Amino acid sequence: MPDSEALLRVEHLSKFFPVKKHRLFEEQSYVHAVEDVSFSVNAGETLGIVGESGSGKSTLARTILALTPSTSGDVYYQGEKITDFKVGHAEQKRLRSQMQMIFQDPYASLNPKLKIGDAISEPMLANGQASSRAEAEKKTRELLEVVGLRPEVFDRYPHEFSGGQRQRIGIVRALAVNPKLMFCDESVSALDVSVQAQVLNLFNSLKNEFNLTYVFIGHDLSVVRYISDRILVMYLGKVMEITGYDQLFSEKTHPYTQALVSAIPEPSTAPRKNRIILEGDIPSAVNPPKGCRFCQRCFKAMPECSEVEPEMREVEPGHFVRCHLYDPKEANER
Ligand code: ADP
Ligand code: MG
């Protein structure tokens, strides 16, 4: 799916972690955390990435942002290959500031001894977003107001804030260096439902105000779909589906996605739908089986599914699925 217009393009990206050996001559095995992942993100859109815990979402984001080295594959930002840069390269630094990550728990990344204002204005100065300390302070106070915090927050310390407030501070810190692309990794997962909605709405309004593009990662499809234009579904390190928001309810979705969709809570007045319960947990990503990664838990599995891995196919315009159910050749044989 090469797309020259894309803001971000990921091609055949893989990340394997070696597993510690227990015996001297044991063959080296690897956690296939991310395997052969390709997709692109267009400027101005929100791409959701969803999948159960352990499906490789965070590793994918970390590998794209070069927080961990890739095993193979390439990443292009604005058409420029960024996987080749040496760490610390000036150009890499410049591009890295355009891509920011917001984590589940911003508290873990805030220095408890540093005032909120300093934690935000210092990277601003270091990145050249402000030319003086006074200017950095002024911009920081403005940004705090934009996310709904009082400017006095500047002189407070991280422990003085609730989860929702800390997440707003994390957002300001990312915004401070003027990013174009924001990776939000489980950014609202730890928040209470009512606060979750407020922060999601904040993400939406900031998107327009600052011309942002989001990659919004989460394990909960009901949250991810709320904010996403397109959705990428991961399972055990692989992309199973890339779909537009509307196609999520089409008949041609991956059985795994169907199960995720069926788990979305609905208002109690809505007609009851059939909930698809997946048996068992996500299997180990160490030496994953041949065939489809999902076949052991799939309620539509066919004999070939455990033998041959399905290709990614475009089943409707802009809707890609990795499933033998939608293989035209095999459908003819059946
Ligand atoms: P998700 O974010 O979807 O929950 P992760 O990317 O955290 O998934 O993990 C994907 C897989 O990679 C898991 O099997 C996890 O145990 C493994 N993994 C993640 N980080 C490491 C690491 N640093 N070393 C070894 N294995 C890892
Ligand atoms: Mg994760």
Side-chain angles (χ1 to χ4, degrees), residues 242-269:
I242 300 177
T243 168
Y245 176 90
D246 295 333
Q247 294 154 336
L248 205 53
F249 303 93
S250 114
E251 292 185 342
K252 292 194 168 174
T253 51
H254 195 283
Y256 179 54
T257 313
Q258 289 175 24
L260 297 179
V261 168
S262 85
I264 295 177
E266 284 196 272
S268 54
T269 48

Side-chain angles (χ1 to χ4, degrees), residues 189-223:
S189 305
L191 305 176
D192 292 341
V193 176
S194 59
V195 184
Q196 228 175 39
Q198 291 167 8
V199 177
L200 282 173
N201 288 336
L202 175 64
F203 273 123
N204 267 336
S205 66
L206 292 176
K207 186 179 167 186
N208 299 329
E209 192 166 345
F210 293 89
N211 284 324
L212 297 171
T213 303
Y214 290 133
V215 175
F216 193 89
I217 299 171
H219 64 278
D220 185 346
L221 181 59
S222 63
V223 172

